[in-house]
Amino acid sequence: MVLVAHGSRDPRAAEATRALARAVSTARPGLQVWSSWLDHTEPGPTEVLRALAVAGHRRAVVVPLLLTAAYHRRVDIPAAVAAATRVEPTLAVRVTDVLGPADGTVDPLLLAGLRRRLGQADPGRFDALVLAAAGTRDARARGSVGQVAAALSADFGVPCRVSYASAAPPATGVAVSRLRAAGARRVAVAAYFLAPGLFHDAVAVAARTAGAVAVAAPLTDAPELAGLVLRRVEDQGAMLSAA
């Protein structure tokens, strides 16, 4: 299994990916799990896949560590796989769905991971939520974030609004302020991020400045996220090879 993360200049992001790889390995003893990144951190997915082929592997499954099926899933990851298999045509590669909603369905494990991080933030009781995401210009991807917010709203029985750290409005501070202006007294922020970094840092500062009572940490290596990675592989029908 090859995990493919977006990549970041912030070293905390790469460590979060490695931690998730360890969590997946722990959840499925004997499974070989490699980490890779599209940018800023090495190795890239093409390099990892080619190394696997050279080592004698004939099948691999790639799991995009992405929460929306935007440009990186539609373009960058297929291009990386194609580059590897052009050189190593004996390697058969399957690519799973992203970790966010697939076919319009929000996986219960994703919701459970978000609930875990909210609970760890110790917000106590809250009467509204903001789901803070990194941001994208892709309307379909933003729609999938909205699906997660709707599922969280139903789960907790409180309003849940989406916010973005970049590329699209509203910003997190604005979303928190709007909920408070509408009468919410205790607004908590769920972090729709896989790893820490500058975006999550900015979201946390803006949310607290606007009066949020708590800001959840990114999902990183939550056991539910490790389970979701394995479920995506199983949904794809890919075979998992033991070491």
Side-chain angles (χ1 to χ4, degrees), residues 59-208:
R59 294 192 304 270
V61 57
V62 168
V63 182
L65 298 186
L66 304 168
L67 290 169
T68 61
Y71 187 85
H72 296 302
R73 173 59 183 88
R74 291 185 288 103
V75 178
D76 289 340
I77 290 177
V81 171
T85 54
R86 277 196 302 270
V87 177
E88 303 291 346
T90 60
L91 182 67
V93 181
R94 292 193 182 188
V95 182
T96 75
D97 286 323
V98 299
L99 302 181
D103 299 325
T105 302
V106 181
D107 196 287
L109 285 171
L110 179 60
L111 290 179
L114 292 169
R115 283 198 305 269
R116 172 187 292 273
R117 293 298 187 234
L118 275 168
Q120 291 170 339
D122 195 23
R125 297 180 62 183
F126 53 87
D127 51 12
L129 271 173
V130 172
L131 180 65
T136 174
R137 294 182 177 86
D138 187 307
R140 291 181 62 184
R142 292 197 303 273
S144 75
V145 179
Q147 291 170 357
V148 177
L152 276 177
S153 178
D155 207 20
F156 284 102
V158 300
C160 183
R161 302 290 181 260
V162 172
S163 73
Y164 297 103
S166 69
T172 301
V174 172
V176 171
S177 295
R178 287 175 178 171
L179 285 167
R180 286 170 54 82
R185 295 188 176 184
R186 292 180 57 82
V187 181
V189 177
Y192 200 47
F193 293 87
L194 295 178
L198 295 179
F199 277 170
H200 182 265
D201 290 349
V203 159
V205 171
R208 293 190 179 104

